[in-house]
């Protein structure tokens, strides 16, 4: 049975009860979410369930990570449905705090700054976004005190930044990455997908199609980017913000070997992101 708690005091009491059930080698897993749960979140719960004896999920739409008030206002919220999904996927405890519980004094005066890793890709397009993410994740870690925390590869730059946060601030938590879950046509699952109209939903397929075309090109960087760009150029109603290749840690891409292809685009008024792992081949050695 999933227990729902709202306040920090309730969380602390419920966490102690959970900890009493844990053996010395058992771990407690946290899945931080903003709710509006979909199969991507469920994969995080399942990974946490497989790796940990106790699973906590947080559900909090964090105002500090939204740069636009309209985006925050229309972010989907549906706690009752979310709780049912948590129950079905074996989550022991859900912490769904309100804003005052996380930011009791209003906007924080001291926060976590994302640093150079955020000066690219999503960072310039969403000022302050990653500072907001890292600050709230730090607060969630401090309150829940998990041994492991689970994040999706869909938000790849966020995942890299959270790994950096844990390393740089010495937080005692192991960050686990879970692969992106996709619709049958390739669209990466996102809570924002419900905001797409039927024709926008159709157009949105172009993002994953472009990434797969790039991945399948399996050549040098120029060939991978050209294959992906060709798909995006054909797409109707897709306003591309970036299509970029990086190495797996988001440094400039290598001449050959593992890399990451990342895309962001607006489809109507909905901003979507996606990424895939690609293998770059040195010039002349590609297929
Ligand atoms: O990925 C998300 O849903 C959010 O950015 C997170 C990590 C829960 C922080 O609010």
């Amino acid at each position: 049975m999933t227990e729902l708690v709202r306040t920090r005091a309730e969380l602390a009491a419920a966490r102690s009860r959970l900890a009493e059930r844990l053996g010395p080698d058992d771990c407690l897993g946290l899945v931080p979410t903003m709710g509006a749960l979909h199969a991507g979140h469920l994969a995080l719960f399942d990974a946490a369930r497989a790796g940990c004896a106790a699973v906590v999920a947080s559900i909090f739409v964090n105002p500090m990570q939204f740069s636009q008030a309209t985006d925050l206002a229309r972010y989907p919220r549906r706690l009752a449905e979310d709780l049912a999904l948590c129950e079905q996927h074996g989550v022991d405890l859900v912490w769904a705090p309100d804003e005052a519980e996380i930011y009791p004094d209003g906007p924080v005066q001291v926060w976590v700054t994302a640093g150079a890793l955020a000066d690219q890709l999503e960072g310039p397009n969403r000022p302050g976004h990653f500072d907001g993410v890292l600050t709230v994740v730090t607060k969630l870690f401090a309150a829940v005190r998990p041994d492991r925390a689970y994040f999706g590869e869909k938000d790849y730059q966020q995942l890299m930044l959270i790994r950096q946060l844990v390393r740089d601030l010495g937080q005692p938590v192991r960050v686990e990455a879970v692969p992106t879950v996709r619709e049958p046509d390739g669209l990466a699952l996102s809570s924002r997908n419900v905001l797409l109209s039927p024709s926008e939903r159709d157009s949105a397929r172009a993002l994953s199609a472009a990434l797969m075309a790039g991945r399948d090109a399996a050549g040098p960087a120029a060939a991978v980017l050209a294959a992906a760009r060709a798909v995006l150029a054909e797409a109707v109603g897709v306003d591309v913000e970036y299509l970029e290749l990086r190495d797996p840690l988001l440094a400039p891409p290598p001449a050959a070997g593992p890399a990451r292809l990342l895309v962001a685009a607006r489809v109507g008024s909905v901003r979507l992101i996606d990424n895939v792992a690609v293998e770059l081949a040195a010039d002349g050695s590609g297929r």
Side-chain angles (χ1 to χ4, degrees), residues 4 17 24 37-38 49 74 82 85 95 107 112 133 163 186 195 230 244 250 252:
L4 169 67
R17 286 194 297 275
L37 302 178
H38 51 64
R49 192 69 275 168
R74 72 177 187 157
D82 289 349
L85 290 168
W95 183 32
V112 180
V133 170
R163 286 198 190 287
L195 302 172
E244 301 269 358
L250 298 181

PDB file of all heavy atoms in Angstrom, residues 4 17 24 37-38 49 74 82 85 95 107 112 133 163 186 195 230 244 250 252:
ATOM      1  N   LEU A   4       0.813   8.248   1.326  1.00  0.00           N
ATOM      2  CA  LEU A   4       0.990   9.628   0.837  1.00  0.00           C
ATOM      3  C   LEU A   4       1.290  10.541   2.016  1.00  0.00           C
ATOM      4  O   LEU A   4       0.552  10.535   3.010  1.00  0.00           O
ATOM      5  CB  LEU A   4      -0.283  10.107   0.130  1.00  0.00           C
ATOM      6  CG  LEU A   4      -0.347  11.607  -0.207  1.00  0.00           C
ATOM      7  CD1 LEU A   4       0.687  11.971  -1.274  1.00  0.00           C
ATOM      8  CD2 LEU A   4      -1.749  11.989  -0.683  1.00  0.00           C
ATOM      9  N   ARG A  17       9.883   4.910   9.624  1.00  0.00           N
ATOM     10  CA  ARG A  17       9.181   3.605   9.648  1.00  0.00           C
ATOM     11  C   ARG A  17       9.718   2.703   8.540  1.00  0.00           C
ATOM     12  O   ARG A  17       9.932   1.516   8.744  1.00  0.00           O
ATOM     13  CB  ARG A  17       7.664   3.813   9.490  1.00  0.00           C
ATOM     14  CG  ARG A  17       6.981   4.362  10.741  1.00  0.00           C
ATOM     15  CD  ARG A  17       5.463   4.230  10.656  1.00  0.00           C
ATOM     16  NE  ARG A  17       4.882   5.003   9.566  1.00  0.00           N
ATOM     17  CZ  ARG A  17       4.564   6.296   9.642  1.00  0.00           C
ATOM     18  NH1 ARG A  17       4.777   6.972  10.754  1.00  0.00           N
ATOM     19  NH2 ARG A  17       4.029   6.926   8.604  1.00  0.00           N
ATOM     20  N   PRO A  24      20.641  -4.288   6.998  1.00  0.00           N
ATOM     21  CA  PRO A  24      21.864  -3.480   6.903  1.00  0.00           C
ATOM     22  C   PRO A  24      22.337  -3.276   5.457  1.00  0.00           C
ATOM     23  O   PRO A  24      22.951  -2.257   5.150  1.00  0.00           O
ATOM     24  CB  PRO A  24      22.888  -4.278   7.713  1.00  0.00           C
ATOM     25  CG  PRO A  24      22.256  -5.590   8.036  1.00  0.00           C
ATOM     26  CD  PRO A  24      20.793  -5.488   7.822  1.00  0.00           C
ATOM     27  N   LEU A  37       2.409  11.388 -14.278  1.00  0.00           N
ATOM     28  CA  LEU A  37       3.256  10.216 -14.522  1.00  0.00           C
ATOM     29  C   LEU A  37       2.869   9.485 -15.803  1.00  0.00           C
ATOM     30  O   LEU A  37       1.693   9.365 -16.136  1.00  0.00           O
ATOM     31  CB  LEU A  37       3.138   9.258 -13.325  1.00  0.00           C
ATOM     32  CG  LEU A  37       3.529   9.856 -11.970  1.00  0.00           C
ATOM     33  CD1 LEU A  37       3.317   8.816 -10.862  1.00  0.00           C
ATOM     34  CD2 LEU A  37       4.964  10.367 -11.965  1.00  0.00           C
ATOM     35  N   HIS A  38       3.889   9.007 -16.505  1.00  0.00           N
ATOM     36  CA  HIS A  38       3.679   8.215 -17.724  1.00  0.00           C
ATOM     37  C   HIS A  38       4.624   7.024 -17.666  1.00  0.00           C
ATOM     38  O   HIS A  38       5.361   6.845 -16.666  1.00  0.00           O
ATOM     39  CB  HIS A  38       3.907   9.075 -18.968  1.00  0.00           C
ATOM     40  CG  HIS A  38       5.209   9.813 -18.954  1.00  0.00           C
ATOM     41  ND1 HIS A  38       6.434   9.176 -18.970  1.00  0.00           N
ATOM     42  CD2 HIS A  38       5.484  11.143 -18.885  1.00  0.00           C
ATOM     43  CE1 HIS A  38       7.402  10.070 -18.954  1.00  0.00           C
ATOM     44  NE2 HIS A  38       6.866  11.282 -18.880  1.00  0.00           N
ATOM     45  N   ARG A  49      12.464  -0.265  -7.812  1.00  0.00           N
ATOM     46  CA  ARG A  49      11.908  -1.452  -7.122  1.00  0.00           C
ATOM     47  C   ARG A  49      12.873  -2.636  -7.247  1.00  0.00           C
ATOM     48  O   ARG A  49      13.082  -3.393  -6.298  1.00  0.00           O
ATOM     49  CB  ARG A  49      10.566  -1.757  -7.781  1.00  0.00           C
ATOM     50  CG  ARG A  49       9.608  -2.713  -7.171  1.00  0.00           C
ATOM     51  CD  ARG A  49       8.963  -2.260  -5.895  1.00  0.00           C
ATOM     52  NE  ARG A  49       9.818  -2.561  -4.758  1.00  0.00           N
ATOM     53  CZ  ARG A  49       9.635  -2.094  -3.529  1.00  0.00           C
ATOM     54  NH1 ARG A  49       8.636  -1.289  -3.258  1.00  0.00           N
ATOM     55  NH2 ARG A  49      10.437  -2.407  -2.557  1.00  0.00           N
ATOM     56  N   ARG A  74       0.510  25.732 -17.029  1.00  0.00           N
ATOM     57  CA  ARG A  74      -0.180  24.685 -17.784  1.00  0.00           C
ATOM     58  C   ARG A  74       0.470  23.310 -17.637  1.00  0.00           C
ATOM     59  O   ARG A  74       0.044  22.354 -18.289  1.00  0.00           O
ATOM     60  CB  ARG A  74      -0.305  25.075 -19.252  1.00  0.00           C
ATOM     61  CG  ARG A  74       0.979  25.030 -20.024  1.00  0.00           C
ATOM     62  CD  ARG A  74       0.686  25.367 -21.468  1.00  0.00           C
ATOM     63  NE  ARG A  74       1.843  25.174 -22.278  1.00  0.00           N
ATOM     64  CZ  ARG A  74       1.836  24.966 -23.581  1.00  0.00           C
ATOM     65  NH1 ARG A  74       0.685  24.939 -24.221  1.00  0.00           N
ATOM     66  NH2 ARG A  74       2.925  24.805 -24.250  1.00  0.00           N
ATOM     67  N   ASP A  82      -1.795   9.779 -10.394  1.00  0.00           N
ATOM     68  CA  ASP A  82      -0.385   9.483 -10.113  1.00  0.00           C
ATOM     69  C   ASP A  82      -0.261   8.496  -8.952  1.00  0.00           C
ATOM     70  O   ASP A  82       0.548   7.561  -8.995  1.00  0.00           O
ATOM     71  CB  ASP A  82       0.379  10.769  -9.764  1.00  0.00           C
ATOM     72  CG  ASP A  82       0.577  11.667 -10.969  1.00  0.00           C
ATOM     73  OD1 ASP A  82       0.317  11.213 -12.101  1.00  0.00           O
ATOM     74  OD2 ASP A  82       0.994  12.831 -10.783  1.00  0.00           O
ATOM     75  N   LEU A  85      -0.935   4.970  -9.967  1.00  0.00           N
ATOM     76  CA  LEU A  85       0.193   4.377 -10.703  1.00  0.00           C
ATOM     77  C   LEU A  85       1.336   4.006  -9.751  1.00  0.00           C
ATOM     78  O   LEU A  85       1.977   2.966  -9.914  1.00  0.00           O
ATOM     79  CB  LEU A  85       0.693   5.353 -11.779  1.00  0.00           C
ATOM     80  CG  LEU A  85      -0.287   5.533 -12.951  1.00  0.00           C
ATOM     81  CD1 LEU A  85       0.125   6.715 -13.814  1.00  0.00           C
ATOM     82  CD2 LEU A  85      -0.330   4.255 -13.793  1.00  0.00           C
ATOM     83  N   TRP A  95       5.936  11.441  -1.467  1.00  0.00           N
ATOM     84  CA  TRP A  95       5.981  12.759  -0.820  1.00  0.00           C
ATOM     85  C   TRP A  95       5.531  13.776  -1.854  1.00  0.00           C
ATOM     86  O   TRP A  95       6.193  13.945  -2.886  1.00  0.00           O
ATOM     87  CB  TRP A  95       7.401  13.076  -0.340  1.00  0.00           C
ATOM     88  CG  TRP A  95       7.498  14.379   0.403  1.00  0.00           C
ATOM     89  CD1 TRP A  95       6.532  14.947   1.175  1.00  0.00           C
ATOM     90  CD2 TRP A  95       8.621  15.267   0.440  1.00  0.00           C
ATOM     91  NE1 TRP A  95       6.975  16.133   1.709  1.00  0.00           N
ATOM     92  CE2 TRP A  95       8.258  16.358   1.270  1.00  0.00           C
ATOM     93  CE3 TRP A  95       9.889  15.256  -0.122  1.00  0.00           C
ATOM     94  CZ2 TRP A  95       9.114  17.425   1.534  1.00  0.00           C
ATOM     95  CZ3 TRP A  95      10.750  16.309   0.136  1.00  0.00           C
ATOM     96  CH2 TRP A  95      10.370  17.385   0.960  1.00  0.00           C
ATOM     97  N   PRO A 107      10.982  32.685  -2.578  1.00  0.00           N
ATOM     98  CA  PRO A 107      12.167  32.393  -3.396  1.00  0.00           C
ATOM     99  C   PRO A 107      13.422  32.301  -2.531  1.00  0.00           C
ATOM    100  O   PRO A 107      13.623  33.121  -1.638  1.00  0.00           O
ATOM    101  CB  PRO A 107      12.239  33.593  -4.347  1.00  0.00           C
ATOM    102  CG  PRO A 107      10.838  34.118  -4.390  1.00  0.00           C
ATOM    103  CD  PRO A 107      10.242  33.852  -3.039  1.00  0.00           C
ATOM    104  N   VAL A 112      21.844  26.373  -5.662  1.00  0.00           N
ATOM    105  CA  VAL A 112      22.906  25.641  -6.351  1.00  0.00           C
ATOM    106  C   VAL A 112      23.011  26.200  -7.771  1.00  0.00           C
ATOM    107  O   VAL A 112      22.008  26.321  -8.470  1.00  0.00           O
ATOM    108  CB  VAL A 112      22.573  24.135  -6.409  1.00  0.00           C
ATOM    109  CG1 VAL A 112      23.684  23.367  -7.119  1.00  0.00           C
ATOM    110  CG2 VAL A 112      22.351  23.582  -5.006  1.00  0.00           C
ATOM    111  N   VAL A 133      16.520  23.125 -10.971  1.00  0.00           N
ATOM    112  CA  VAL A 133      16.495  21.658 -10.850  1.00  0.00           C
ATOM    113  C   VAL A 133      17.468  21.218  -9.753  1.00  0.00           C
ATOM    114  O   VAL A 133      17.109  20.444  -8.861  1.00  0.00           O
ATOM    115  CB  VAL A 133      16.878  20.988 -12.199  1.00  0.00           C
ATOM    116  CG1 VAL A 133      17.099  19.489 -12.004  1.00  0.00           C
ATOM    117  CG2 VAL A 133      15.815  21.241 -13.258  1.00  0.00           C
ATOM    118  N   ARG A 163      24.579  14.150 -11.756  1.00  0.00           N
ATOM    119  CA  ARG A 163      25.794  13.384 -11.424  1.00  0.00           C
ATOM    120  C   ARG A 163      26.905  14.335 -10.937  1.00  0.00           C
ATOM    121  O   ARG A 163      27.614  14.050  -9.979  1.00  0.00           O
ATOM    122  CB  ARG A 163      26.300  12.617 -12.654  1.00  0.00           C
ATOM    123  CG  ARG A 163      25.462  11.401 -13.028  1.00  0.00           C
ATOM    124  CD  ARG A 163      26.282  10.506 -13.946  1.00  0.00           C
ATOM    125  NE  ARG A 163      25.513   9.440 -14.560  1.00  0.00           N
ATOM    126  CZ  ARG A 163      25.070   8.356 -13.927  1.00  0.00           C
ATOM    127  NH1 ARG A 163      25.288   8.216 -12.643  1.00  0.00           N
ATOM    128  NH2 ARG A 163      24.399   7.434 -14.570  1.00  0.00           N
ATOM    129  N   GLY A 186       8.256   5.988 -31.880  1.00  0.00           N
ATOM    130  CA  GLY A 186       9.563   6.540 -31.538  1.00  0.00           C
ATOM    131  C   GLY A 186       9.506   7.763 -30.641  1.00  0.00           C
ATOM    132  O   GLY A 186      10.505   8.089 -29.988  1.00  0.00           O
ATOM    133  N   LEU A 195      -0.003  17.912 -24.219  1.00  0.00           N
ATOM    134  CA  LEU A 195      -0.347  19.271 -24.644  1.00  0.00           C
ATOM    135  C   LEU A 195      -0.343  19.394 -26.172  1.00  0.00           C
ATOM    136  O   LEU A 195      -0.740  20.436 -26.711  1.00  0.00           O
ATOM    137  CB  LEU A 195       0.638  20.282 -24.036  1.00  0.00           C
ATOM    138  CG  LEU A 195       0.736  20.285 -22.506  1.00  0.00           C
ATOM    139  CD1 LEU A 195       1.868  21.184 -22.032  1.00  0.00           C
ATOM    140  CD2 LEU A 195      -0.584  20.726 -21.872  1.00  0.00           C
ATOM    141  N   ALA A 230      18.459  16.175 -42.352  1.00  0.00           N
ATOM    142  CA  ALA A 230      17.622  15.916 -43.537  1.00  0.00           C
ATOM    143  C   ALA A 230      16.198  15.557 -43.103  1.00  0.00           C
ATOM    144  O   ALA A 230      15.219  16.004 -43.723  1.00  0.00           O
ATOM    145  CB  ALA A 230      18.238  14.788 -44.361  1.00  0.00           C
ATOM    146  N   GLU A 244      22.553  18.754 -31.837  1.00  0.00           N
ATOM    147  CA  GLU A 244      23.977  18.828 -31.475  1.00  0.00           C
ATOM    148  C   GLU A 244      24.528  17.445 -31.164  1.00  0.00           C
ATOM    149  O   GLU A 244      23.811  16.587 -30.631  1.00  0.00           O
ATOM    150  CB  GLU A 244      24.149  19.690 -30.210  1.00  0.00           C
ATOM    151  CG  GLU A 244      23.644  21.102 -30.324  1.00  0.00           C
ATOM    152  CD  GLU A 244      24.705  22.075 -30.799  1.00  0.00           C
ATOM    153  OE1 GLU A 244      25.853  21.655 -31.012  1.00  0.00           O
ATOM    154  OE2 GLU A 244      24.366  23.263 -30.955  1.00  0.00           O
ATOM    155  N   LEU A 250      28.980  15.199 -22.479  1.00  0.00           N
ATOM    156  CA  LEU A 250      28.571  16.495 -23.039  1.00  0.00           C
ATOM    157  C   LEU A 250      29.737  17.433 -23.356  1.00  0.00           C
ATOM    158  O   LEU A 250      29.541  18.638 -23.507  1.00  0.00           O
ATOM    159  CB  LEU A 250      27.524  17.207 -22.152  1.00  0.00           C
ATOM    160  CG  LEU A 250      26.211  16.440 -21.990  1.00  0.00           C
ATOM    161  CD1 LEU A 250      25.222  17.220 -21.122  1.00  0.00           C
ATOM    162  CD2 LEU A 250      25.572  16.142 -23.339  1.00  0.00           C
ATOM    163  N   PRO A 252      32.814  18.284 -26.282  1.00  0.00           N
ATOM    164  CA  PRO A 252      32.771  18.180 -27.749  1.00  0.00           C
ATOM    165  C   PRO A 252      32.907  16.724 -28.202  1.00  0.00           C
ATOM    166  O   PRO A 252      33.589  15.922 -27.544  1.00  0.00           O
ATOM    167  CB  PRO A 252      33.970  19.022 -28.196  1.00  0.00           C
ATOM    168  CG  PRO A 252      34.130  20.021 -27.098  1.00  0.00           C
ATOM    169  CD  PRO A 252      33.758  19.311 -25.837  1.00  0.00           C
TER     170      PRO A 252
END
